[in-house]
Amino acid sequence: MTYQQYPAQPGQQPPPGMYAPPPKKMSAGAKVGIGCGGAVGVIVVLAAIGAAIGGGGAASDAGKPDKVAAAPKQERQAKEDAKPAKEKPKAPASQADRFKAFVKKSGTAAEKSAIAHVTKVQGADEQNDILDSVDVYTDFTGGLMGPHQSEGKLIASAFADWKDSKNGLVTIYDAKGEILSNGNF
């Protein structure tokens, strides 16, 4: 079989299908991905087979009588009545609520007045002493140059009394998200 050679002329393209690009090779990442996918597939299949063969252990308890069903109806009712009523578990207090409770307990009158405007605290629970950053949001307005900057400083100071960090920064924001004040803690 012979191929016809076309003369190479500037600006002229070879006819379609004459020169096919070599097929792309599969990258190493694709090979690893397919291999891991296959391994996961094998594990899933083995788990399904094990569950089907094992039966889940339900057959081993089939011959035993059910104690609740065997108990007379009056005894069961007496046991249920003797149980204390389940109380709803209390939701954990938010970071802002815990901060406000601390200031109400040990803060000055000015701090207590300023802390009433705190609406949200973020980042107070995640401390690593490397770079601790806490955001405190308030309902004040005016930003850094506004009339409530002094209250922002009071809130930052109260926060420093509440939490300790080797390298912490607390930032106080106003209602529009502008920085009201900041401080170290």
Side-chain angles (χ1 to χ4, degrees):
M1 181 178 211
T2 61
Y3 291 103
Q4 183 178 4
Q5 294 284 331
Y6 290 97
Q9 296 178 1
Q12 191 176 30
Q13 297 272 334
M18 183 69 180
Y19 300 107
K24 291 186 178 181
K25 294 184 178 179
M26 190 180 293
S27 69
K31 290 177 185 177
V32 170
I34 290 172
C36 289
V40 169
V42 168
I43 291 173
V44 169
V45 169
L46 290 177
I49 291 171
I53 291 174
S60 62
D61 293 338
K64 297 180 183 176
D66 189 8
K67 292 182 181 178
V68 175
K73 201 176 207 181
Q74 295 168 347
E75 287 181 26
R76 282 187 289 167
Q77 187 64 35
K79 286 181 182 179
E80 289 176 11
D81 291 342
K83 291 180 183 177
K86 291 183 180 179
E87 295 179 18
K88 285 186 176 181
K90 293 182 181 179
S94 69
Q95 295 175 24
D97 292 338
R98 288 181 280 163
F99 178 40
K100 287 179 178 181
F102 171 80
V103 173
K104 284 180 183 177
K105 180 181 175 186
S106 61
T108 64
E111 288 174 339
K112 290 176 186 178
S113 174
I115 206 72
H117 295 275
V118 171
T119 58
K120 183 178 178 182
V121 176
Q122 283 184 319
D125 288 340
E126 303 94 22
Q127 291 188 354
N128 59 12
D129 286 335
I130 296 172
L131 179 58
D132 298 326
S133 178
V134 177
D135 299 326
V136 177
Y137 297 91
T138 67
D139 59 5
F140 290 125
T141 57
L144 193 58
M145 300 305 288
H148 300 289
Q149 183 199 19
S150 60
E151 285 94 342
K153 282 290 185 189
L154 283 171
I155 294 170
S157 174
F159 190 87
D161 291 340
W162 183 47
K163 293 284 186 174
D164 290 321
S165 174
K166 292 179 182 177
N167 193 19
L169 176 69
V170 60
T171 305
I172 315 300
Y173 295 96
D174 70 0
K176 292 183 179 179
E178 296 178 13
I179 293 178
L180 187 63
S181 180
N182 61 15
N184 296 326
F185 70 95

